[in-house]
Amino acid sequence: MVAAVSSPSARASSATVAVEGLSHWYGHAAMRRQVLQGVDLTITPGEVVLLTGPSGCGKTTLLTLVGALRSVQQGSVRVFGQELHGAGRDVRQRLRRSIGMIFQGHNLLRCLTAEQNVQMGSDLLEGLSYRARRDQARQWLRAVGLGDELGKLPHDLSGGQKQRVAIARALAARPRLLLADEPTAALDSRTGREVVDLLQSLAREQGCGVLMVTHDPRILDVADRLVRMEDGRLMQDG
Amino acid sequence: MNQFWRSRRIPLAWLLLARQPMRLGVALAGIAFAGILMFMQLGFRDGLFEASVTVHKLFDADLVLMSPRTMSSIGMAGFPRRRLVQAMADPEVSGTTPVHWNLLLWRNPQTRNTRSILTLGFDPTDPLFTDPTLTEKAKALTQKGRVLFDDRSRPEFGPIAEWFKQGKVVETEVAGKRVRVAELVSLGPSFGADGNMLTSRETFLQLMPGTPPGSIELGLIRLKPGADPAQVAARLKTMLPSDVSIYTKKGFEEFEKNYWRSSTAIGFIFTLGAGMGFVVGCVIVYQILYSDVSDHLPEYATLMAMGYRLAGLLGVVAREALILAMLGYLPAYLAGQGLYALVRSGTRLPVEMDPQRALLVFGMILVMCMGSAAFAMRRLADADPAEIF
């Protein structure tokens, strides 16, 4: 982690995410296919950016590149000021600790209770006692309205509850950037709405930037900015 | 302590195992099975070697003289009895017993079949075994043609003990001469001898008239209290001519065990058996851990996406293996104890749970689990956090 960037003044002056001229390809030689073409995108601290577009247009690829899950091939991706182009596995792994991720499937650990799943997030924080980390996990679960379901396994939770546990887990690591890939895809419209509202308010409180991929037209109003992607290019209209 | 609370994490390895009781059960059963197999095979092996010295262990001796030509208890060569008298010259030697030792043919009085029996000839007034009850029984040997029969000899020698206890006069033929059973003793069969009998020197020489005069097969030497057997042995070695070999009692037992170890396939067969158990265990643990990692691959990938290090996740698999090893060893150990007791009562084989073997088997189970884990970990490399979105 880059210590200088985490101070308030530095954070205000620099963007959470700064993408410039990002291009990406899949496959080799004749099978090589370009999925991103010169993408530019900036997310400031606390800003909620929604990314829409037809499937296969490169949204998820962009998300994985910003999330330091893939190595950058061409162009520049800076997250909290850290350049990801050419960054090694270790640098990316450490950076990911400050990035919360919420997946289309909830991806909770099946063998852990709701509380333990969230604690897997707070366990990433250094210098805290076990008790402190567990208390934080409980607080987060209460914040997402699951204070009564602490000891339940994912198996016993509804789809909306699981997604809320996933949000609590992502936030428990105190991220400065949240990436979400269609978090409402598996939810009905009412729970979907609730989950997104929750995500937005908690992210605001934490001052953490949000980049959310979604197809869901009912939740577009939570965005500070809407970005549309088509054939690997961004068309900003927010 | 503070450090502990700081580094304490969710016990993921344990929870991964515990929340799948079926799989855990299968894994533990497999490991326990492998452990029991190893315990049994190694136990039999050591037990059989131990059984080769059943009689050796009974002798009342600190040092033992044998002919250098002697290879084992089934082929004892003679040496001059004078060497024992010479050994008495050492100030720390307190007493000696010359012993004749040979395998003779015993005729089963019921079926008339013959079978070789280990026969020891000694002076009934000399101490032979540490067991004090023998001294009393040995008095009966002063009469010629009397023998003490080992009631733990194999049943092929005839219902000797049974008849004797019924009060019958038990007489039979040994090496073609008539003998009468004067008393029963309890020694136990060994590898080289299915049965044992004791007799006086006179009777022994009568049964074996070809024995050269003044030649014995075994010399027992007892030392004064506090004497160091190794030191005295070294002194005797320089003092006595090279027609005798000197062993400590332990060395005498080892000499015999070594013969069976090197000249038979026992060691090889049972070690191979234990190896099979090891391999079976490896396959089971590998299967379990591999499918466990495969099933949880998306979850491992999620943890990596969250910022957990690959090394940390490998540690989870390693800890799973460690837990499996410890939990699987426990039932194997207990079952091993039980089976040893069963074998002891069923076959009279001296099989004990000695700590060295207990440790060895635990070590093998540990290697088995950790090795399997190392192979299963390669599957973790397939966990690509970029693929989970």
Side-chain angles (χ1 to χ4, degrees), chain A residues 60 63-64 69-70 93 96-97 101-103 107-113 116 119-121 123-124 127-130 133 153 169 181, chain B residues 4-12 15-16 19 295-299 302-310 384-389:
Chain A
T60 302
L63 213 58
T64 54
L69 295 168
R70 253 180 232 289
Q93 174 254 318
R96 286 204 294 269
R97 292 181 161 222
M101 297 184 199
I102 295 164
F103 311 93
N107 279 0
L108 295 178
L109 272 65
R110 282 169 289 165
C111 68
L112 300 184
T113 63
Q116 288 166 333
Q119 202 183 328
M120 288 306 291
D123 272 358
L124 286 164
L128 283 178
S129 74
Y130 184 77
R133 282 178 272 123
L153 292 173
R169 176 176 67 179
D181 190 15
Chain B
F4 171 77
W5 291 111
R6 237 163 239 177
S7 57
R8 188 176 159 199
R9 295 281 184 275
I10 297 275
L12 191 54
L15 291 171
L16 278 169
R19 294 271 157 82
D295 285 358
H296 294 101
L297 218 49
E299 297 172 26
T302 305
L303 291 177
M304 281 167 78
M306 285 169 67
Y308 280 93
R309 289 164 53 219
L310 180 62
D384 183 358
E387 295 302 320
I388 58 173
F389 265 113

Side-chain angles (χ1 to χ4, degrees), chain B residues 305-321:
Chain B
M306 285 169 67
Y308 280 93
R309 289 164 53 219
L310 180 62
L313 300 183
L314 295 177
V316 170
V317 180
R319 258 168 289 159
E320 279 188 74

Side-chain angles (χ1 to χ4, degrees), chain B residues 262-283:
Chain B
S262 58
S263 65
T264 64
I266 296 163
F268 176 73
I269 289 167
F270 285 102
T271 309
L272 193 72
M276 299 265 287
F278 180 76
V279 171
V280 168
C282 281
V283 171

